[in-house]
Amino acid sequence: MSGKTLYDKIWDAHLVHEAEDGTCLLYIDRHLVHEVTSPQAFEGLRMTQRTVRAPDKTIAVPDHNVPTTTDRANGIENEESRIQVEALDRNARDFGIHYYPVSDVRQGIVHIVGPEQGWTLPGMTVVCGDSHTATHGAFGALAHGIGTSEVEHVLATQTLIQKKSKNMKVEITGRLAPGVTAKDITLSVIGHTGTAGGTGYVIEYCGEAIRALSMEGRMTVCNMAIEGGARAGLIAPDETTFAYVMGRPHAPKGAQWEAALAWWKTLRSDDDAHWDKVVTLRGEDIAPVVTWGTSPEDVLPITAAVPAPGDFAGGKVEAAKRSLDYMGLTPGTPLADVPIDTVFIGSCTNGRIEDLRAAAAILRGKKIKDGLRAMVVPGSGLVRAQAEEEGLAQVFIDAGFEWRMAGCSMCLAMNPDQLSPGERCAATSNRNFEGRQGKGGRTHLMSPAMAAAAAITGKLTDVRDLMRQQ
Amino acid sequence: MDKFTTLTGIAAPLPQINVDTDMIIPKQFLKTIQRSGLGRNLFDEMRYDNDGNEVLDFVLNRPAYREAQILVAGDNFGCGSSREHAPWALLDFGIRCVIAPSFADIFYNNCFKNGILPIALPQDQVDLVMRDAQRGANARQTVDLENQTITLSDGTAIPFEVDGFRRHCLMNGLDDIGLTLEKAPAIDAFERQAGQSRPWV
Ligand code: SF4
């Protein structure tokens, strides 16, 4: 019998019941909740007179709808958004779950707040009514998104009905070159496997280049596992993980820390574990990349040119035609010649302190291109505070960026932060779908350093060119 | 989900075919953050005029039927959009059972998820039920899910068919969550064991 993968181990440790047809009941250690996908679930509990089974394991924070302007203490203007946030306020209070309201400095994007507060720990099962729950896999936790009826199911039972996925290994060997980041890894993997490449799998990312990443970088990689089609992405915990977790408000302390650590150290795939699919990329081969189309798999090195539909095969030919038309791009144009209107630095993919440091390092002492709109939306109030303390906020402000309050903001444009039709944006978020950042808006995904470089030149830019000048 | 065993109540006649989910709950009411509260807007466009006043001869506005718990309707009830808001609105109004010659598939499934019993009967039997319902508030009908019969106000019993598993779930008030809650002892045991092996969670 072959050994177990990390996914197998976490799965087995949370199995409550397995039916003959393979349907499993899985115990959920942490349930994260935000305002958009939860109202009907709480309403369902009320109607059936059920309670939240484990309020202590349930954490709520509003993020999708909240304004990110500094005057937001005055309330939310859009009525539907306001009602959703107020509903979460009330539900959190009524059901006694942990809550970080808009006014709390710890408020932020749910996937940034969870790890920051030590709610997310290695070996856990973590769910949220949000597809980017995969982020938490960076800790060696099994983490994925669920629908509203499942949110209600977890609230009521602290379990989820699941069938097991297959195991996929994505190995990034060697080292990254200067100017290449976690975002370039995760985009390159999706560019390589396609958005359906991970369908039916849970991905474990491994290899020297992954091990060398900080926790922030690992979260960026796992965050986009969903864009690669996978149910979840995870990375085995190691000293980097333990150092990040230690001392966080909800991390174990004292003897419990020691006990936890002992178990966490066993959380790695056995050498003889069976993999259903393996993908290997060389770290040295990864360049700073951008997306050119309207699917996260439309990834190219910044040194490349806009492709032509004929470069593709099958259904992708039509898709590429449509993408290029929507994006307003002409095949053959060097990507580094594409002018942009807007820069958005933020989201659960790249809204952490390390991301802001990377962007500020490029921007220090520089100005953004005249006429450009540029904003930084820190992933949480604590990230914002730390960036202010480190002087990063001033770097952004001096360069001409708007310095915003925490939230999802222009990642999905549910609040007033939106692109107008035709507006072209260099974004550090995770989805470049049509209309994602506003109707008719054009999104190019990239790393924070690349977004900062684009802000300076006013076009898509190879950050390495600017680094050479520095 | 509330259990459904037997139901004795007033049946409202709606002798109309192809009642679609847009009629049951128009799209402007889908922005809600709740499942409950939709009863007020059940059949909104048929029930209220442009000024928001009640249309007096719409069946649910008539004094005899304001407390109806059973709805008797024509062929192909619940067609159109898949919105679960339709059964939510019926339930919120107080309707627990819909009787018709046939139902749209998605609506039919959605009913069971929400504790509503949809009963499909041959047209001539629906006609019997409809005529009884038209007699007003004194015409109370009894729907007995265990014995699978509808008893009209004059004592006439009409048998009906329903899938065994769905009947079991409805009679025991079991939705997915209800089914999982049947495994509560296993969840309790898991929590006890995990509380010892991973007390920090
Ligand atoms: S930042 Fe974007 S991707 Fe992340 S949770 Fe918010 S909306 Fe979703």
Side-chain angles (χ1 to χ4, degrees):
Chain A
M1 213 182 101
S2 61
K4 288 179 175 185
T5 64
L6 172 55
Y7 170 51
D8 297 336
K9 291 181 183 181
I10 301 175
W11 178 275
D12 290 350
H14 291 84
L15 195 59
V16 175
H17 180 265
E18 180 164 4
E20 273 171 24
D21 68 350
T23 306
C24 294
L25 199 60
L26 214 56
Y27 192 81
I28 301 303
D29 292 327
R30 291 287 181 265
H31 186 192
L32 308 175
V33 175
H34 65 74
E35 79 278 21
V36 177
T37 52
S38 65
Q40 276 92 352
F42 284 110
E43 184 61 15
L45 292 186
R46 283 198 180 86
M47 282 174 72
T48 48
Q49 275 134 38
R50 287 181 180 132
T51 54
V52 176
R53 181 181 169 105
D56 246 29
K57 295 173 178 171
T58 312
I59 300 98
V61 60
D63 53 5
H64 284 62
N65 272 293
V66 301
T68 55
T69 45
T70 44
D71 63 356
R72 72 177 180 186
N74 303 334
I76 303 177
E77 211 171 301
N78 179 280
E79 197 185 342
E80 280 169 349
S81 296
R82 196 185 63 238
I83 289 172
Q84 279 195 328
V85 172
E86 285 171 355
L88 189 65
D89 287 350
R90 194 182 56 246
N91 289 329
R93 201 176 46 236
D94 289 359
F95 290 95
I97 62 183
H98 298 280
Y99 188 51
Y100 302 99
V102 178
S103 56
D104 193 311
V105 69
R106 297 166 297 177
Q107 177 270 345
I109 304 167
V110 64
H111 308 308
I112 292 193
V113 173
E116 207 167 66
Q117 294 301 319
W119 289 116
T120 307
L121 298 172
M124 279 185 164
T125 45
V126 181
V127 296
C128 174
D130 189 283
S131 55
H132 290 98
T133 310
T135 313
H136 308 263
F139 290 79
L142 176 58
H144 55 80
I146 54 178
T148 294
S149 57
E150 289 175 314
V151 169
E152 187 178 339
H153 191 279
V154 176
L155 287 171
T157 69
Q158 206 56 30
T159 63
L160 200 59
I161 299 169
Q162 288 278 290
K163 285 210 170 169
K164 202 170 173 201
S165 304
K166 290 179 286 180
N167 281 290
M168 173 167 171
K169 176 159 91 169
V170 172
E171 187 178 14
I172 314 293
T173 63
R175 289 174 196 209
L176 301 180
V180 180
T181 69
K183 185 66 164 286
D184 301 298
I185 293 182
T186 203
L187 281 172
S188 298
V189 170
I190 298 162
H192 187 82
T193 60
T195 47
T199 305
Y201 297 93
V202 163
I203 296 176
E204 181 175 337
Y205 299 95
C206 60
E208 193 187 342
I210 297 289
R211 292 261 78 89
L213 292 174
S214 67
M215 283 317 293
E216 280 90 347
R218 294 179 189 186
M219 284 188 255
T220 302
V221 170
C222 290
N223 174 275
M224 292 193 71
I226 188 74
E227 270 68 41
R231 175 149 201 87
L234 37 76
I235 295 173
D238 59 12
E239 291 306 323
T240 304
T241 322
F242 309 144
Y244 178 98
V245 170
M246 197 161 107
R248 304 244 157 213
H250 297 278
K253 314 249 159 16
Q256 293 219 350
W257 170 263
E258 295 305 327
L261 200 60
W263 186 57
W264 294 345
K265 286 182 173 168
T266 68
L267 293 176
R268 44 185 295 281
S269 292
D270 295 330
D271 295 336
D272 58 346
H274 170 77
W275 298 98
D276 300 291
K277 186 170 175 177
V278 178
V279 170
T280 306
L281 295 185
R282 276 165 38 96
E284 292 80 2
D285 292 345
I286 298 176
V289 292
V290 295
T291 60
W292 54 267
T294 54
S295 164
E297 70 185 14
D298 298 339
V299 174
L300 281 174
I302 181 64
T303 49
V306 175
D311 298 345
F312 301 94
K316 191 71 191 167
V317 178
E318 274 309 308
K321 246 186 235 165
R322 189 185 159 90
S323 281
L324 291 172
D325 187 48
Y326 179 86
M327 293 296 290
L329 294 174
T330 313
T333 312
L335 284 166
D337 284 352
V338 175
I340 54 154
D341 309 302
T342 302
V343 175
F344 168 66
I345 297 178
S347 88
C348 60
T349 317
N350 285 122
R352 284 168 287 268
I353 190 70
E354 187 181 274
D355 302 314
L356 303 195
R357 285 184 195 135
I362 303 298
L363 289 165
R364 200 175 297 277
K366 300 243 171 49
K367 293 264 181 240
I368 62 170
K369 177 89 173 167
D370 269 355
L372 204 76
R373 164 159 83 133
M375 65 167 89
V376 186
V377 184
S380 73
L382 290 178
V383 169
R384 182 180 149 96
Q386 187 175 350
E388 286 177 347
E389 213 175 281
E390 292 182 16
L392 308 178
Q394 205 52 52
V395 173
F396 287 116
I397 293 165
D398 290 347
F401 272 79
E402 291 172 44
W403 179 242
R404 297 295 195 101
M405 304 292 281
C408 293
S409 178
M410 207 191 266
C411 174
L412 89 167
M414 252 186 101
N415 77 347
D417 308 338
Q418 307 188 358
L419 297 181
S420 35
E423 193 174 343
R424 190 181 298 281
C425 181
T428 66
S429 45
N430 46 48
R431 284 186 176 149
N432 52 350
F433 300 156
E434 287 184 21
R436 167 80 175 182
Q437 295 193 282
K439 193 162 189 290
R442 294 164 170 164
T443 303
H444 295 275
L445 302 176
M446 64 195 72
S447 72
M450 286 284 285
I456 294 169
T457 62
K459 54 194 181 73
L460 302 182
T461 299
D462 191 337
V463 66
R464 292 170 299 189
D465 294 344
L466 297 193
M467 288 166 70
R468 270 190 288 274
Q469 291 163 21
Q470 274 179 350
Chain B
M1 202 166 90
D2 287 341
K3 287 183 189 176
F4 192 115
T5 48
T6 60
L7 171 71
T8 299
I10 299 163
L14 186 67
Q16 194 176 331
I17 64 161
N18 296 328
V19 173
D20 64 51
T21 53
D22 243 293
M23 289 180 202
I24 299 172
I25 185 81
K27 63 174 173 299
Q28 62 266 34
F29 303 107
L30 307 187
K31 290 175 180 171
T32 175
I33 53 164
Q34 302 180 327
R35 277 181 247 219
S36 62
L38 288 164
R40 198 157 47 89
N41 303 106
L42 175 68
F43 294 114
D44 195 82
E45 285 168 11
M46 295 152 86
R47 204 161 140 210
Y48 304 102
D49 65 19
N50 288 341
D51 299 325
N53 301 314
E54 288 188 358
V55 174
L56 294 181
D57 63 352
F58 181 70
V59 60
L60 297 180
N61 290 334
R62 286 160 55 189
Y65 300 108
R66 297 182 86 96
E67 307 282 316
Q69 288 177 279
I70 300 165
L71 188 67
V72 192
D75 213 13
N76 198 25
F77 188 88
C79 56
S81 127
S82 64
R83 60 190 65 163
E84 200 162 330
H85 297 68
W88 292 348
L90 286 164
L91 189 65
D92 192 63
F93 180 87
I95 304 282
R96 293 292 310 275
C97 176
V98 185
I99 301 169
S102 69
F103 292 88
D105 184 48
I106 298 172
F107 175 83
Y108 188 75
N109 289 327
N110 280 343
C111 281
F112 286 101
K113 281 188 203 152
N114 290 282
I116 297 173
L117 173 63
I119 300 176
L121 291 176
Q123 184 70 53
D124 56 339
Q125 298 193 353
V126 172
D127 291 345
L128 277 182
V129 179
M130 186 77 76
R131 270 201 294 280
D132 189 50
Q134 280 162 340
R135 294 174 53 208
N138 287 327
R140 288 179 182 254
Q141 302 179 353
T142 297
V143 179
D144 181 340
L145 181 54
E146 175 152 32
N147 296 307
Q148 297 183 206
T149 53
I150 303 167
T151 308
L152 304 183
S153 61
D154 66 358
T156 309
I158 299 173
F160 64 86
E161 293 295 321
V162 60
D163 170 78
F165 178 68
R166 284 175 156 153
R167 177 164 155 263
H168 168 76
C169 290
L170 213 50
M171 286 191 59
N172 295 288
L174 303 175
D175 45 22
D176 253 6
I177 297 176
L179 287 170
T180 297
L181 287 173
E182 283 189 334
K183 302 201 180 80
I187 303 173
D188 292 341
F190 180 91
E191 268 181 350
R192 270 195 305 277
Q193 170 254 315
Q196 285 177 1
S197 58
R198 297 183 295 128
W200 60 85
V201 171

